[in-house]
Amino acid sequence: MTEPMHIVLDETAMTAAGTGNVLASRLIHRAHAEAGWYLYAPACALVEADRARPGTAEHLAALPGITVLDLDLPAVLAVAQQATWAQAHAQHAAQPTPDRPDGAIIATTTPERWKGEPVGVLDLAP
């Protein structure tokens, strides 16, 4: 049996999915079609993706394979620690939880921005 795959989309990955990025599209398809694949869209990152490409939030939120993560109190406290709300919420969402004891990987088209952060990164850059 394979381990579940938990992936947090940052705002760059969300925007890339809307512009036809093949790797982002494959992730979305797998999360919908295969057991054990889970994609998460942190609300703050979803807002930034929608600002960059209007319609992104509504489209991604409607997809059955993506779970939108609310901005709860622990996430609010994490947001205060980073330069942007989107990055902070994505990083917070990737941390270990009881449901995800090993945490999650952050999918991004800008892997260099995550350098030095305590998260795994999946590079979706074309």
Side-chain angles (χ1 to χ4, degrees), residues 36-91:
W37 281 76
Y38 304 95
L39 284 185
Y40 305 96
C44 292
L46 198 54
V47 168
E48 287 303 316
D50 202 69
R51 286 180 178 166
R53 188 169 190 278
T56 299
E58 187 174 356
H59 177 71
L60 288 176
L63 295 174
I66 297 179
T67 301
V68 176
L69 300 176
D70 294 331
L71 187 63
D72 59 8
L73 180 57
V76 168
L77 298 174
V79 163
Q81 305 301 313
Q82 293 289 341
T84 71
W85 286 33
Q87 185 173 355
H89 200 186
Q91 183 173 336

Side-chain angles (χ1 to χ4, degrees), residues 6-49:
H6 297 278
I7 301 171
V8 174
L9 300 171
D10 76 359
E11 76 278 10
T12 67
M14 293 180 206
T15 303
T19 60
N21 179 293
V22 174
L23 296 174
S25 295
R26 286 181 184 165
L27 281 179
I28 292 168
H29 173 73
R30 281 199 143 168
H32 175 68
E34 293 184 33
W37 281 76
Y38 304 95
L39 284 185
Y40 305 96
C44 292
L46 198 54
V47 168
E48 287 303 316

